[in-house]
Amino acid sequence: MPRSPSPSSAVDKALDLVEAVARSDRPLRLSELAEEVGMQRATAYRVLLDLVRRGWVLRAGDHYLPGTAVLQLSRAAAAHSLVALARPVLEALSERTGMMVNLQVLESDRSRVIDVVRPQRLEMITHLRDELLPVHRFAGPMALVALLDESARGPYLRPAEEDGHPLTGPEGLLADLERVVHTGYAVEHGRNEKLIASVSRAVASDNGRPVCALTVVGLDAEFEEPRMSELKQHLHDATTELQAALTTAFAMGPA
């Protein structure tokens, strides 16, 4: 039920929007959120930008879901979250490949692992759940950042620069990102951690912006061809399935 318009602080506005996103049983559009909390669309949009940046809200196309910060505080929000939608896909992908599979979303300058399925045989590999991962060291953030416009990549390139990782040249981060754009897959194999390899693919919204990434992780020796091609195919099928699940969830709202 929409709130009665009344003077409110910036904190009130932010909390009203976070609460509206968290209690909804489906992803909401900007217009729906603004109406729900009795706020002008332009004001709601400005506040949501900050909430997305801080991880309280996740934007997927023109819909909004609970962000990772909310999920850490509320199990109720998790019932309607990206994690709940993606969990069956993660479990099936792990079963088909025998690998660890994680789900990641972008935050301000890195990606965060928000869910993991790890088979018993790979318990020696750290799951990294809730960890923030820089783009120059992991396949998941690379798959996500590759879908961003060049003008939006700056914050994600900065940690690489601070670590002394090259941005330009054939082995630079920008070349890596262009390979992901061309192939659709981000691969970490035989470079940073030689015992562990991973391959990742992003799920995009209708406007092409990244929503999340699925990453398959395992022992480096298991990522040689033809196994790598098989893993990519399974990953392609899983991301397509998750894209369909998100589309169905978004379609539950009014047109």
Side-chain angles (χ1 to χ4, degrees), residues 205-241:
S205 63
D206 290 342
N207 62 10
R209 287 185 59 82
V211 176
C212 59
L214 297 181
T215 305
V216 174
V217 184
L219 300 176
D220 187 77
E222 298 181 74
F223 281 70
E224 302 292 344
E225 293 290 358
R227 181 62 168 150
M228 175 67 88
S229 294
E230 295 173 3
L231 292 174
K232 287 181 177 179
Q233 184 60 56
H234 287 309
L235 187 56
H236 177 276
D237 294 343
T239 51
T240 300
E241 182 182 353

PDB file of all heavy atoms in Angstrom, residues 205-241:
ATOM      1  N   SER A 205      20.788  -8.436 -18.679  1.00  0.00           N
ATOM      2  CA  SER A 205      19.412  -7.961 -18.756  1.00  0.00           C
ATOM      3  C   SER A 205      19.070  -7.642 -20.200  1.00  0.00           C
ATOM      4  O   SER A 205      19.918  -7.746 -21.095  1.00  0.00           O
ATOM      5  CB  SER A 205      19.244  -6.713 -17.885  1.00  0.00           C
ATOM      6  OG  SER A 205      20.067  -5.666 -18.368  1.00  0.00           O
ATOM      7  N   ASP A 206      17.830  -7.227 -20.439  1.00  0.00           N
ATOM      8  CA  ASP A 206      17.401  -6.933 -21.809  1.00  0.00           C
ATOM      9  C   ASP A 206      18.230  -5.826 -22.454  1.00  0.00           C
ATOM     10  O   ASP A 206      18.395  -5.795 -23.677  1.00  0.00           O
ATOM     11  CB  ASP A 206      15.924  -6.529 -21.824  1.00  0.00           C
ATOM     12  CG  ASP A 206      15.006  -7.705 -21.517  1.00  0.00           C
ATOM     13  OD1 ASP A 206      15.471  -8.851 -21.629  1.00  0.00           O
ATOM     14  OD2 ASP A 206      13.844  -7.476 -21.146  1.00  0.00           O
ATOM     15  N   ASN A 207      18.748  -4.897 -21.630  1.00  0.00           N
ATOM     16  CA  ASN A 207      19.544  -3.799 -22.194  1.00  0.00           C
ATOM     17  C   ASN A 207      21.031  -4.132 -22.280  1.00  0.00           C
ATOM     18  O   ASN A 207      21.842  -3.268 -22.589  1.00  0.00           O
ATOM     19  CB  ASN A 207      19.339  -2.512 -21.385  1.00  0.00           C
ATOM     20  CG  ASN A 207      19.798  -2.645 -19.945  1.00  0.00           C
ATOM     21  OD1 ASN A 207      20.449  -3.627 -19.571  1.00  0.00           O
ATOM     22  ND2 ASN A 207      19.468  -1.666 -19.120  1.00  0.00           N
ATOM     23  N   GLY A 208      21.381  -5.393 -21.994  1.00  0.00           N
ATOM     24  CA  GLY A 208      22.759  -5.843 -22.147  1.00  0.00           C
ATOM     25  C   GLY A 208      23.636  -5.670 -20.935  1.00  0.00           C
ATOM     26  O   GLY A 208      24.790  -6.106 -20.942  1.00  0.00           O
ATOM     27  N   ARG A 209      23.120  -5.050 -19.866  1.00  0.00           N
ATOM     28  CA  ARG A 209      23.934  -4.882 -18.665  1.00  0.00           C
ATOM     29  C   ARG A 209      23.995  -6.189 -17.882  1.00  0.00           C
ATOM     30  O   ARG A 209      23.052  -6.973 -17.882  1.00  0.00           O
ATOM     31  CB  ARG A 209      23.367  -3.773 -17.778  1.00  0.00           C
ATOM     32  CG  ARG A 209      23.587  -2.386 -18.336  1.00  0.00           C
ATOM     33  CD  ARG A 209      23.122  -1.332 -17.348  1.00  0.00           C
ATOM     34  NE  ARG A 209      23.831  -1.421 -16.067  1.00  0.00           N
ATOM     35  CZ  ARG A 209      25.020  -0.916 -15.840  1.00  0.00           C
ATOM     36  NH1 ARG A 209      25.679  -0.282 -16.795  1.00  0.00           N
ATOM     37  NH2 ARG A 209      25.589  -1.035 -14.655  1.00  0.00           N
ATOM     38  N   PRO A 210      25.133  -6.444 -17.207  1.00  0.00           N
ATOM     39  CA  PRO A 210      25.263  -7.702 -16.463  1.00  0.00           C
ATOM     40  C   PRO A 210      24.364  -7.753 -15.240  1.00  0.00           C
ATOM     41  O   PRO A 210      24.252  -6.781 -14.501  1.00  0.00           O
ATOM     42  CB  PRO A 210      26.739  -7.705 -16.050  1.00  0.00           C
ATOM     43  CG  PRO A 210      27.116  -6.257 -15.990  1.00  0.00           C
ATOM     44  CD  PRO A 210      26.325  -5.588 -17.091  1.00  0.00           C
ATOM     45  N   VAL A 211      23.713  -8.883 -15.032  1.00  0.00           N
ATOM     46  CA  VAL A 211      22.906  -9.120 -13.837  1.00  0.00           C
ATOM     47  C   VAL A 211      23.704  -9.953 -12.843  1.00  0.00           C
ATOM     48  O   VAL A 211      23.795  -9.633 -11.661  1.00  0.00           O
ATOM     49  CB  VAL A 211      21.596  -9.852 -14.200  1.00  0.00           C
ATOM     50  CG1 VAL A 211      20.801 -10.184 -12.938  1.00  0.00           C
ATOM     51  CG2 VAL A 211      20.759  -9.016 -15.151  1.00  0.00           C
ATOM     52  N   CYS A 212      24.284 -11.037 -13.330  1.00  0.00           N
ATOM     53  CA  CYS A 212      25.044 -11.947 -12.468  1.00  0.00           C
ATOM     54  C   CYS A 212      25.924 -12.806 -13.358  1.00  0.00           C
ATOM     55  O   CYS A 212      25.836 -12.748 -14.589  1.00  0.00           O
ATOM     56  CB  CYS A 212      24.101 -12.822 -11.633  1.00  0.00           C
ATOM     57  SG  CYS A 212      22.982 -13.839 -12.640  1.00  0.00           S
ATOM     58  N   ALA A 213      26.777 -13.598 -12.744  1.00  0.00           N
ATOM     59  CA  ALA A 213      27.616 -14.530 -13.488  1.00  0.00           C
ATOM     60  C   ALA A 213      27.614 -15.880 -12.793  1.00  0.00           C
ATOM     61  O   ALA A 213      27.598 -15.950 -11.557  1.00  0.00           O
ATOM     62  CB  ALA A 213      29.048 -14.012 -13.607  1.00  0.00           C
ATOM     63  N   LEU A 214      27.616 -16.935 -13.588  1.00  0.00           N
ATOM     64  CA  LEU A 214      27.830 -18.287 -13.088  1.00  0.00           C
ATOM     65  C   LEU A 214      29.262 -18.683 -13.410  1.00  0.00           C
ATOM     66  O   LEU A 214      29.723 -18.490 -14.537  1.00  0.00           O
ATOM     67  CB  LEU A 214      26.867 -19.277 -13.758  1.00  0.00           C
ATOM     68  CG  LEU A 214      25.373 -19.080 -13.516  1.00  0.00           C
ATOM     69  CD1 LEU A 214      24.586 -20.162 -14.240  1.00  0.00           C
ATOM     70  CD2 LEU A 214      25.052 -19.101 -12.034  1.00  0.00           C
ATOM     71  N   THR A 215      29.945 -19.237 -12.420  1.00  0.00           N
ATOM     72  CA  THR A 215      31.350 -19.620 -12.602  1.00  0.00           C
ATOM     73  C   THR A 215      31.547 -21.066 -12.179  1.00  0.00           C
ATOM     74  O   THR A 215      31.109 -21.473 -11.093  1.00  0.00           O
ATOM     75  CB  THR A 215      32.277 -18.723 -11.760  1.00  0.00           C
ATOM     76  OG1 THR A 215      32.026 -17.360 -12.081  1.00  0.00           O
ATOM     77  CG2 THR A 215      33.733 -19.046 -12.040  1.00  0.00           C
ATOM     78  N   VAL A 216      32.180 -21.830 -13.047  1.00  0.00           N
ATOM     79  CA  VAL A 216      32.532 -23.223 -12.766  1.00  0.00           C
ATOM     80  C   VAL A 216      33.996 -23.249 -12.325  1.00  0.00           C
ATOM     81  O   VAL A 216      34.869 -22.706 -13.014  1.00  0.00           O
ATOM     82  CB  VAL A 216      32.330 -24.091 -14.017  1.00  0.00           C
ATOM     83  CG1 VAL A 216      32.833 -25.513 -13.781  1.00  0.00           C
ATOM     84  CG2 VAL A 216      30.855 -24.108 -14.415  1.00  0.00           C
ATOM     85  N   VAL A 217      34.258 -23.863 -11.180  1.00  0.00           N
ATOM     86  CA  VAL A 217      35.598 -23.863 -10.575  1.00  0.00           C
ATOM     87  C   VAL A 217      36.023 -25.293 -10.270  1.00  0.00           C
ATOM     88  O   VAL A 217      35.226 -26.092  -9.757  1.00  0.00           O
ATOM     89  CB  VAL A 217      35.613 -23.040  -9.269  1.00  0.00           C
ATOM     90  CG1 VAL A 217      37.027 -22.967  -8.697  1.00  0.00           C
ATOM     91  CG2 VAL A 217      35.035 -21.643  -9.487  1.00  0.00           C
ATOM     92  N   GLY A 218      37.281 -25.611 -10.580  1.00  0.00           N
ATOM     93  CA  GLY A 218      37.777 -26.951 -10.287  1.00  0.00           C
ATOM     94  C   GLY A 218      39.285 -27.018 -10.388  1.00  0.00           C
ATOM     95  O   GLY A 218      39.974 -25.987 -10.438  1.00  0.00           O
ATOM     96  N   LEU A 219      39.805 -28.219 -10.436  1.00  0.00           N
ATOM     97  CA  LEU A 219      41.242 -28.434 -10.544  1.00  0.00           C
ATOM     98  C   LEU A 219      41.704 -28.111 -11.961  1.00  0.00           C
ATOM     99  O   LEU A 219      41.044 -28.460 -12.948  1.00  0.00           O
ATOM    100  CB  LEU A 219      41.585 -29.874 -10.185  1.00  0.00           C
ATOM    101  CG  LEU A 219      41.201 -30.306  -8.760  1.00  0.00           C
ATOM    102  CD1 LEU A 219      41.512 -31.782  -8.550  1.00  0.00           C
ATOM    103  CD2 LEU A 219      41.908 -29.446  -7.724  1.00  0.00           C
ATOM    104  N   ASP A 220      42.831 -27.445 -12.057  1.00  0.00           N
ATOM    105  CA  ASP A 220      43.329 -26.957 -13.346  1.00  0.00           C
ATOM    106  C   ASP A 220      43.451 -28.078 -14.374  1.00  0.00           C
ATOM    107  O   ASP A 220      43.126 -27.877 -15.550  1.00  0.00           O
ATOM    108  CB  ASP A 220      44.686 -26.284 -13.139  1.00  0.00           C
ATOM    109  CG  ASP A 220      45.193 -25.610 -14.397  1.00  0.00           C
ATOM    110  OD1 ASP A 220      44.694 -24.518 -14.719  1.00  0.00           O
ATOM    111  OD2 ASP A 220      46.082 -26.181 -15.055  1.00  0.00           O
ATOM    112  N   ALA A 221      43.884 -29.250 -13.946  1.00  0.00           N
ATOM    113  CA  ALA A 221      44.102 -30.352 -14.878  1.00  0.00           C
ATOM    114  C   ALA A 221      42.809 -30.809 -15.544  1.00  0.00           C
ATOM    115  O   ALA A 221      42.850 -31.454 -16.608  1.00  0.00           O
ATOM    116  CB  ALA A 221      44.748 -31.527 -14.148  1.00  0.00           C
ATOM    117  N   GLU A 222      41.668 -30.478 -14.965  1.00  0.00           N
ATOM    118  CA  GLU A 222      40.376 -30.895 -15.509  1.00  0.00           C
ATOM    119  C   GLU A 222      39.797 -29.885 -16.498  1.00  0.00           C
ATOM    120  O   GLU A 222      38.664 -30.050 -16.949  1.00  0.00           O
ATOM    121  CB  GLU A 222      39.389 -31.133 -14.369  1.00  0.00           C
ATOM    122  CG  GLU A 222      39.806 -32.237 -13.422  1.00  0.00           C
ATOM    123  CD  GLU A 222      38.780 -32.465 -12.320  1.00  0.00           C
ATOM    124  OE1 GLU A 222      37.713 -33.040 -12.603  1.00  0.00           O
ATOM    125  OE2 GLU A 222      39.036 -32.054 -11.172  1.00  0.00           O
ATOM    126  N   PHE A 223      40.550 -28.851 -16.829  1.00  0.00           N
ATOM    127  CA  PHE A 223      40.068 -27.819 -17.739  1.00  0.00           C
ATOM    128  C   PHE A 223      40.763 -27.861 -19.099  1.00  0.00           C
ATOM    129  O   PHE A 223      40.646 -26.926 -19.877  1.00  0.00           O
ATOM    130  CB  PHE A 223      40.229 -26.433 -17.101  1.00  0.00           C
ATOM    131  CG  PHE A 223      39.156 -26.117 -16.095  1.00  0.00           C
ATOM    132  CD1 PHE A 223      39.113 -26.774 -14.874  1.00  0.00           C
ATOM    133  CD2 PHE A 223      38.187 -25.157 -16.357  1.00  0.00           C
ATOM    134  CE1 PHE A 223      38.130 -26.495 -13.940  1.00  0.00           C
ATOM    135  CE2 PHE A 223      37.204 -24.860 -15.433  1.00  0.00           C
ATOM    136  CZ  PHE A 223      37.161 -25.532 -14.226  1.00  0.00           C
ATOM    137  N   GLU A 224      41.458 -28.930 -19.391  1.00  0.00           N
ATOM    138  CA  GLU A 224      42.061 -29.079 -20.712  1.00  0.00           C
ATOM    139  C   GLU A 224      40.996 -29.511 -21.723  1.00  0.00           C
ATOM    140  O   GLU A 224      39.953 -30.050 -21.361  1.00  0.00           O
ATOM    141  CB  GLU A 224      43.192 -30.119 -20.666  1.00  0.00           C
ATOM    142  CG  GLU A 224      44.302 -29.812 -19.677  1.00  0.00           C
ATOM    143  CD  GLU A 224      45.129 -28.598 -20.080  1.00  0.00           C
ATOM    144  OE1 GLU A 224      45.039 -28.184 -21.265  1.00  0.00           O
ATOM    145  OE2 GLU A 224      45.860 -28.074 -19.217  1.00  0.00           O
ATOM    146  N   GLU A 225      41.255 -29.255 -23.005  1.00  0.00           N
ATOM    147  CA  GLU A 225      40.352 -29.746 -24.045  1.00  0.00           C
ATOM    148  C   GLU A 225      40.428 -31.276 -24.119  1.00  0.00           C
ATOM    149  O   GLU A 225      41.490 -31.852 -23.851  1.00  0.00           O
ATOM    150  CB  GLU A 225      40.731 -29.142 -25.403  1.00  0.00           C
ATOM    151  CG  GLU A 225      40.491 -27.660 -25.488  1.00  0.00           C
ATOM    152  CD  GLU A 225      39.003 -27.283 -25.503  1.00  0.00           C
ATOM    153  OE1 GLU A 225      38.152 -28.199 -25.480  1.00  0.00           O
ATOM    154  OE2 GLU A 225      38.715 -26.089 -25.545  1.00  0.00           O
ATOM    155  N   PRO A 226      39.310 -31.970 -24.443  1.00  0.00           N
ATOM    156  CA  PRO A 226      38.005 -31.423 -24.834  1.00  0.00           C
ATOM    157  C   PRO A 226      37.098 -31.081 -23.653  1.00  0.00           C
ATOM    158  O   PRO A 226      35.985 -30.640 -23.860  1.00  0.00           O
ATOM    159  CB  PRO A 226      37.419 -32.568 -25.663  1.00  0.00           C
ATOM    160  CG  PRO A 226      37.950 -33.802 -24.999  1.00  0.00           C
ATOM    161  CD  PRO A 226      39.360 -33.453 -24.559  1.00  0.00           C
ATOM    162  N   ARG A 227      37.599 -31.301 -22.436  1.00  0.00           N
ATOM    163  CA  ARG A 227      36.762 -31.042 -21.264  1.00  0.00           C
ATOM    164  C   ARG A 227      36.347 -29.579 -21.169  1.00  0.00           C
ATOM    165  O   ARG A 227      35.218 -29.271 -20.783  1.00  0.00           O
ATOM    166  CB  ARG A 227      37.529 -31.455 -20.000  1.00  0.00           C
ATOM    167  CG  ARG A 227      36.787 -31.271 -18.696  1.00  0.00           C
ATOM    168  CD  ARG A 227      35.540 -32.115 -18.637  1.00  0.00           C
ATOM    169  NE  ARG A 227      34.998 -32.140 -17.286  1.00  0.00           N
ATOM    170  CZ  ARG A 227      33.707 -32.274 -17.004  1.00  0.00           C
ATOM    171  NH1 ARG A 227      32.835 -32.411 -17.989  1.00  0.00           N
ATOM    172  NH2 ARG A 227      33.279 -32.303 -15.762  1.00  0.00           N
ATOM    173  N   MET A 228      37.232 -28.660 -21.544  1.00  0.00           N
ATOM    174  CA  MET A 228      36.898 -27.247 -21.468  1.00  0.00           C
ATOM    175  C   MET A 228      35.688 -26.922 -22.335  1.00  0.00           C
ATOM    176  O   MET A 228      34.786 -26.186 -21.922  1.00  0.00           O
ATOM    177  CB  MET A 228      38.089 -26.386 -21.876  1.00  0.00           C
ATOM    178  CG  MET A 228      37.782 -24.890 -21.932  1.00  0.00           C
ATOM    179  SD  MET A 228      37.431 -24.163 -20.323  1.00  0.00           S
ATOM    180  CE  MET A 228      39.112 -23.741 -19.804  1.00  0.00           C
ATOM    181  N   SER A 229      35.643 -27.468 -23.532  1.00  0.00           N
ATOM    182  CA  SER A 229      34.508 -27.220 -24.425  1.00  0.00           C
ATOM    183  C   SER A 229      33.216 -27.762 -23.823  1.00  0.00           C
ATOM    184  O   SER A 229      32.142 -27.139 -23.942  1.00  0.00           O
ATOM    185  CB  SER A 229      34.750 -27.850 -25.795  1.00  0.00           C
ATOM    186  OG  SER A 229      35.823 -27.202 -26.448  1.00  0.00           O
ATOM    187  N   GLU A 230      33.289 -28.898 -23.159  1.00  0.00           N
ATOM    188  CA  GLU A 230      32.113 -29.468 -22.506  1.00  0.00           C
ATOM    189  C   GLU A 230      31.631 -28.577 -21.370  1.00  0.00           C
ATOM    190  O   GLU A 230      30.419 -28.340 -21.220  1.00  0.00           O
ATOM    191  CB  GLU A 230      32.434 -30.864 -21.971  1.00  0.00           C
ATOM    192  CG  GLU A 230      32.741 -31.899 -23.042  1.00  0.00           C
ATOM    193  CD  GLU A 230      33.206 -33.208 -22.431  1.00  0.00           C
ATOM    194  OE1 GLU A 230      33.235 -33.309 -21.180  1.00  0.00           O
ATOM    195  OE2 GLU A 230      33.541 -34.137 -23.198  1.00  0.00           O
ATOM    196  N   LEU A 231      32.582 -28.063 -20.588  1.00  0.00           N
ATOM    197  CA  LEU A 231      32.226 -27.182 -19.482  1.00  0.00           C
ATOM    198  C   LEU A 231      31.560 -25.903 -19.993  1.00  0.00           C
ATOM    199  O   LEU A 231      30.576 -25.422 -19.421  1.00  0.00           O
ATOM    200  CB  LEU A 231      33.462 -26.844 -18.655  1.00  0.00           C
ATOM    201  CG  LEU A 231      34.093 -27.991 -17.873  1.00  0.00           C
ATOM    202  CD1 LEU A 231      35.395 -27.530 -17.220  1.00  0.00           C
ATOM    203  CD2 LEU A 231      33.132 -28.524 -16.805  1.00  0.00           C
ATOM    204  N   LYS A 232      32.091 -25.350 -21.072  1.00  0.00           N
ATOM    205  CA  LYS A 232      31.501 -24.142 -21.652  1.00  0.00           C
ATOM    206  C   LYS A 232      30.078 -24.396 -22.126  1.00  0.00           C
ATOM    207  O   LYS A 232      29.191 -23.548 -21.971  1.00  0.00           O
ATOM    208  CB  LYS A 232      32.372 -23.623 -22.793  1.00  0.00           C
ATOM    209  CG  LYS A 232      33.659 -22.967 -22.335  1.00  0.00           C
ATOM    210  CD  LYS A 232      34.460 -22.447 -23.526  1.00  0.00           C
ATOM    211  CE  LYS A 232      35.710 -21.714 -23.076  1.00  0.00           C
ATOM    212  NZ  LYS A 232      36.518 -21.228 -24.236  1.00  0.00           N
ATOM    213  N   GLN A 233      29.841 -25.556 -22.719  1.00  0.00           N
ATOM    214  CA  GLN A 233      28.496 -25.870 -23.186  1.00  0.00           C
ATOM    215  C   GLN A 233      27.522 -25.993 -22.021  1.00  0.00           C
ATOM    216  O   GLN A 233      26.400 -25.476 -22.068  1.00  0.00           O
ATOM    217  CB  GLN A 233      28.498 -27.158 -24.010  1.00  0.00           C
ATOM    218  CG  GLN A 233      27.139 -27.490 -24.614  1.00  0.00           C
ATOM    219  CD  GLN A 233      26.634 -26.418 -25.542  1.00  0.00           C
ATOM    220  OE1 GLN A 233      27.315 -26.051 -26.498  1.00  0.00           O
ATOM    221  NE2 GLN A 233      25.436 -25.882 -25.286  1.00  0.00           N
ATOM    222  N   HIS A 234      27.946 -26.683 -20.964  1.00  0.00           N
ATOM    223  CA  HIS A 234      27.097 -26.790 -19.777  1.00  0.00           C
ATOM    224  C   HIS A 234      26.832 -25.409 -19.173  1.00  0.00           C
ATOM    225  O   HIS A 234      25.722 -25.113 -18.719  1.00  0.00           O
ATOM    226  CB  HIS A 234      27.773 -27.684 -18.732  1.00  0.00           C
ATOM    227  CG  HIS A 234      27.756 -29.143 -19.070  1.00  0.00           C
ATOM    228  ND1 HIS A 234      26.609 -29.826 -19.425  1.00  0.00           N
ATOM    229  CD2 HIS A 234      28.757 -30.071 -19.084  1.00  0.00           C
ATOM    230  CE1 HIS A 234      26.887 -31.092 -19.659  1.00  0.00           C
ATOM    231  NE2 HIS A 234      28.188 -31.267 -19.460  1.00  0.00           N
ATOM    232  N   LEU A 235      27.854 -24.578 -19.170  1.00  0.00           N
ATOM    233  CA  LEU A 235      27.721 -23.233 -18.616  1.00  0.00           C
ATOM    234  C   LEU A 235      26.773 -22.396 -19.476  1.00  0.00           C
ATOM    235  O   LEU A 235      25.941 -21.643 -18.956  1.00  0.00           O
ATOM    236  CB  LEU A 235      29.101 -22.584 -18.542  1.00  0.00           C
ATOM    237  CG  LEU A 235      29.221 -21.232 -17.843  1.00  0.00           C
ATOM    238  CD1 LEU A 235      28.693 -21.281 -16.406  1.00  0.00           C
ATOM    239  CD2 LEU A 235      30.686 -20.774 -17.845  1.00  0.00           C
ATOM    240  N   HIS A 236      26.883 -22.531 -20.782  1.00  0.00           N
ATOM    241  CA  HIS A 236      25.977 -21.839 -21.693  1.00  0.00           C
ATOM    242  C   HIS A 236      24.531 -22.239 -21.416  1.00  0.00           C
ATOM    243  O   HIS A 236      23.629 -21.393 -21.318  1.00  0.00           O
ATOM    244  CB  HIS A 236      26.345 -22.153 -23.144  1.00  0.00           C
ATOM    245  CG  HIS A 236      25.422 -21.544 -24.151  1.00  0.00           C
ATOM    246  ND1 HIS A 236      24.239 -22.152 -24.518  1.00  0.00           N
ATOM    247  CD2 HIS A 236      25.490 -20.384 -24.850  1.00  0.00           C
ATOM    248  CE1 HIS A 236      23.613 -21.391 -25.403  1.00  0.00           C
ATOM    249  NE2 HIS A 236      24.358 -20.316 -25.621  1.00  0.00           N
ATOM    250  N   ASP A 237      24.288 -23.534 -21.277  1.00  0.00           N
ATOM    251  CA  ASP A 237      22.930 -24.019 -21.020  1.00  0.00           C
ATOM    252  C   ASP A 237      22.408 -23.491 -19.685  1.00  0.00           C
ATOM    253  O   ASP A 237      21.231 -23.112 -19.581  1.00  0.00           O
ATOM    254  CB  ASP A 237      22.912 -25.544 -21.013  1.00  0.00           C
ATOM    255  CG  ASP A 237      23.241 -26.145 -22.377  1.00  0.00           C
ATOM    256  OD1 ASP A 237      23.174 -25.413 -23.385  1.00  0.00           O
ATOM    257  OD2 ASP A 237      23.568 -27.345 -22.420  1.00  0.00           O
ATOM    258  N   ALA A 238      23.267 -23.456 -18.669  1.00  0.00           N
ATOM    259  CA  ALA A 238      22.845 -23.009 -17.344  1.00  0.00           C
ATOM    260  C   ALA A 238      22.519 -21.516 -17.330  1.00  0.00           C
ATOM    261  O   ALA A 238      21.521 -21.091 -16.729  1.00  0.00           O
ATOM    262  CB  ALA A 238      23.934 -23.320 -16.315  1.00  0.00           C
ATOM    263  N   THR A 239      23.349 -20.706 -17.976  1.00  0.00           N
ATOM    264  CA  THR A 239      23.073 -19.270 -17.993  1.00  0.00           C
ATOM    265  C   THR A 239      21.817 -18.967 -18.811  1.00  0.00           C
ATOM    266  O   THR A 239      21.049 -18.061 -18.481  1.00  0.00           O
ATOM    267  CB  THR A 239      24.270 -18.477 -18.549  1.00  0.00           C
ATOM    268  OG1 THR A 239      24.683 -19.030 -19.794  1.00  0.00           O
ATOM    269  CG2 THR A 239      25.437 -18.501 -17.569  1.00  0.00           C
ATOM    270  N   THR A 240      21.593 -19.722 -19.866  1.00  0.00           N
ATOM    271  CA  THR A 240      20.362 -19.558 -20.638  1.00  0.00           C
ATOM    272  C   THR A 240      19.143 -19.906 -19.791  1.00  0.00           C
ATOM    273  O   THR A 240      18.119 -19.215 -19.823  1.00  0.00           O
ATOM    274  CB  THR A 240      20.400 -20.453 -21.894  1.00  0.00           C
ATOM    275  OG1 THR A 240      21.523 -20.090 -22.701  1.00  0.00           O
ATOM    276  CG2 THR A 240      19.128 -20.307 -22.704  1.00  0.00           C
ATOM    277  N   GLU A 241      19.258 -20.966 -19.004  1.00  0.00           N
ATOM    278  CA  GLU A 241      18.167 -21.364 -18.101  1.00  0.00           C
ATOM    279  C   GLU A 241      17.902 -20.297 -17.051  1.00  0.00           C
ATOM    280  O   GLU A 241      16.749 -19.966 -16.747  1.00  0.00           O
ATOM    281  CB  GLU A 241      18.518 -22.695 -17.433  1.00  0.00           C
ATOM    282  CG  GLU A 241      17.433 -23.219 -16.509  1.00  0.00           C
ATOM    283  CD  GLU A 241      17.822 -24.517 -15.825  1.00  0.00           C
ATOM    284  OE1 GLU A 241      18.885 -25.080 -16.180  1.00  0.00           O
ATOM    285  OE2 GLU A 241      17.081 -24.957 -14.931  1.00  0.00           O
TER     286      GLU A 241
END
